[in-house]
Amino acid sequence: MSNTEYDVIVVGSGMSGAYAAKEFCEKGYKTLVLERGEMVKHRQYKTEGKAPWQMPFRGDVPEEFKAEQHIQKEVYIYNDYTRHHLINDKDHPYEQKRPFIWYRSATVGGKSLIWGRQSYRWSKLDFESNKLDGNGIDWPVRYEDIEPWYDRVEPFVGISGSYEGLEVLPDGKFLPALPLNVVERDMKKKIEKTFPDRHFIPARVAHLTQPQKQHLELGRVQCQARSECPRGCSFGAYYSSNSAALPAAERTGNMTLVANAQVQEVLYDHASGRATGVAYVDMRSGERKQVSARTVFMCASTLASVQILLNSKSETFPEGIGNRFDVLGRYVMDHCGGGGASGMVPGYLEDYYKGRRPGGVYIPRFRNINSKHGKFERGYGFQCGASRAGWHWAKTGKGIGKAFKEKVSQPGNWYFTMWGFGESLPRYENRIYLHPSKKDKWGMPLLVTDVAYGENESAMVRDMSDTAVEMLEAAGLQNIRRFEGEAPPGGAIHEMGGACMGHSVETSYLNKWNQCHDVKNLFVTDGAAFSSVSCVNPSITFMAFTARAVDYADQQMQQGLI
């Protein structure tokens, strides 16, 4: 057993963890980052730039490998180029009392290497909805509390976007937006004319369209539009922990990063009422170790952080550290989705765009803003895009000879597709907990997921499909195909909740500073802290809350209060 003293321990190196490390290190704190995944250094992405003929399976994945990743193989980026970024499900089992898809990273940087990069601020309404409609617990913060921290995070990340002045989707500090293509520009006119409350804007994405000094100092340059993002990007053109926050922390000389470290427990001292450090297992040697620090930040990802906290048992907290009132593991949520539509756009066959784009179109929430919809609470937005069909049809198409080759070389018709992402309701009964006897190969109790959508989410998904068809018809599209598949929770990969922020220790795990009500030097700043899910992608909000919590912890540490 080793005993090493640090100022701060950060568990996890994804969106929240790496940013916490950066902030603490830049403030001069000796910071230990513990990451379960394998080490991946920036610019050491082993499949980046490889052509299909350089891959052993030409980009496909044999069934024997899929069997090892029977959960991860369903994620949309899964292929031979990316599967090493995802865990082996056989080594990392969990129990599903009700179906829950748990996508997990296998590397340093976490899901920041493979995220979708859509980046939106939450609105005033998002922080008020729980109180307004009575679902879940009231957030102890409002938009005004987090706004300055968006202002801090966004320029570092580098987000391209347009200034729209929409209350439901606040503007941020943007780099130039990625332009709409010709079809999208015309559809914007038609849809906004027919539906004045529905706004058709460029997607806001974490890609550098005009790198600034702080990006260039980290070696990050303009997006090359290679469409290889999930493999890793040596240009640092999209934001990842590996390309930005971790190098920023490392250059201070204050960060120690340990990979292959499965944190199993936050250690607690009854006499002082403080967390004293964490216990973890070296996943290669199997050795159990303990490290100590003044402050512990949990950023292991939503479900993993709660799993560790539940396993942090003591005489004072037999049900998990800080969990006196059975609030830990409650209100687990994910976005609901699966509703949308696609259609063929007539014409524009002389128009094509050069290169590829990392972003498309976003249609912000328009339901339950100024008037009640009546069939469901909350709302949803659409991620969309127009593109021309390529040659992939030829893999199963019929033909031979010169004419067939010429046909394959020509782009096909334009298509426009809309995918809805909706806000599910926070429910106390949607929970995760530890299995009473089953453990993984390193001795960590398995997590049990008991989470489901309700009728509110089903009604919302039906409405997504209805309105998508309605808009495509208004824009004059043909061969419109409606889809309405409702995947289990976890499928949107935006899981949140489980260690929610709130006003009191009886109803919530964290206070308004992401600080455990009962253990003042223990913070949770990943998605577990969230008391609702909005309908927009959450990653920059994770980071904004992390920056705010680090600032608060810094003040508390300087005053000797933690």
Side-chain angles (χ1 to χ4, degrees), residues 138-361:
D138 183 28
W139 280 86
V141 296
R142 292 293 184 261
Y143 178 75
E144 291 75 12
D145 297 309
I146 198 67
E147 182 178 21
W149 302 99
Y150 280 126
D151 290 346
R152 177 173 178 79
V153 166
E154 286 169 338
F156 180 75
V157 171
I159 296 170
S160 66
S162 57
Y163 293 90
E164 304 287 344
L166 304 174
E167 187 171 354
V168 73
L169 194 74
D171 292 333
K173 293 186 175 298
F174 298 141
L175 301 173
L178 291 160
L180 303 180
N181 61 41
V182 61
V183 169
E184 293 162 349
R185 291 196 297 272
D186 283 357
M187 288 190 66
K188 174 180 174 66
K189 294 175 187 174
K190 293 173 182 175
I191 288 176
E192 291 186 348
K193 181 180 179 181
T194 308
F195 308 99
D197 63 335
R198 303 177 191 181
H199 302 279
F200 197 99
I201 69 173
R204 295 170 179 174
V205 290
H207 286 257
L208 300 181
T209 52
Q210 192 175 88
Q212 304 298 299
K213 182 172 181 289
Q214 61 180 316
H215 306 131
L216 297 171
E217 287 175 348
L218 286 167
R220 301 180 62 198
V221 299
Q222 185 169 341
C223 179
Q224 309 294 302
R226 298 182 301 164
S227 294
E228 292 187 2
C229 308
R231 304 184 196 182
C233 179
S234 290
F235 296 97
Y238 79 86
Y239 177 86
S240 70
S241 296
N242 309 62
S243 67
L246 290 175
E250 191 170 28
R251 69 186 174 185
T252 67
N254 291 323
M255 182 180 74
T256 301
L257 172 60
V258 178
N260 302 112
Q262 185 196 61
V263 174
Q264 297 194 341
E265 183 183 354
V266 177
L267 304 171
Y268 177 75
D269 176 60
H270 175 73
S272 63
R274 298 163 57 94
T276 57
V278 303
Y280 71 95
V281 171
D282 182 321
M283 298 173 71
R284 291 183 168 172
S285 69
E287 183 182 1
R288 182 177 172 87
K289 301 182 179 182
Q290 292 186 4
V291 285
S292 60
R294 290 178 62 186
T295 298
V296 176
F297 263 57
M298 295 300 299
C299 308
S301 80
T302 295
L303 271 59
S305 284
V306 175
Q307 183 181 21
I308 295 166
L309 294 169
L310 285 167
N311 194 46
S312 304
K313 298 179 179 180
S314 62
E315 186 176 338
T316 308
F317 298 115
E319 303 302 324
I321 188 168
N323 186 30
R324 283 192 293 147
F325 296 95
D326 190 23
V327 294
L328 192 57
R330 300 286 182 178
Y331 298 108
V332 172
M333 303 159 279
D334 186 21
H335 285 149
C336 59
S342 179
M344 190 190 79
V345 185
Y348 302 96
L349 296 180
E350 300 303 317
D351 295 296
Y352 206 70
Y353 52 85
K354 183 179 179 182
R356 293 159 285 198
R357 285 186 312 166
V361 174

Side-chain angles (χ1 to χ4, degrees), residues 336-339 452-455 457-462 483-489:
C336 59
Y453 295 129
E455 178 51 36
E457 288 74 32
S458 296
M460 188 183 295
V461 170
R462 286 194 293 273
F483 45 85
E484 189 180 311
E486 192 173 325

Side-chain angles (χ1 to χ4, degrees), residues 488-500:
I493 328 178
H494 296 154
E495 60 269 24
M496 286 170 259
C500 298

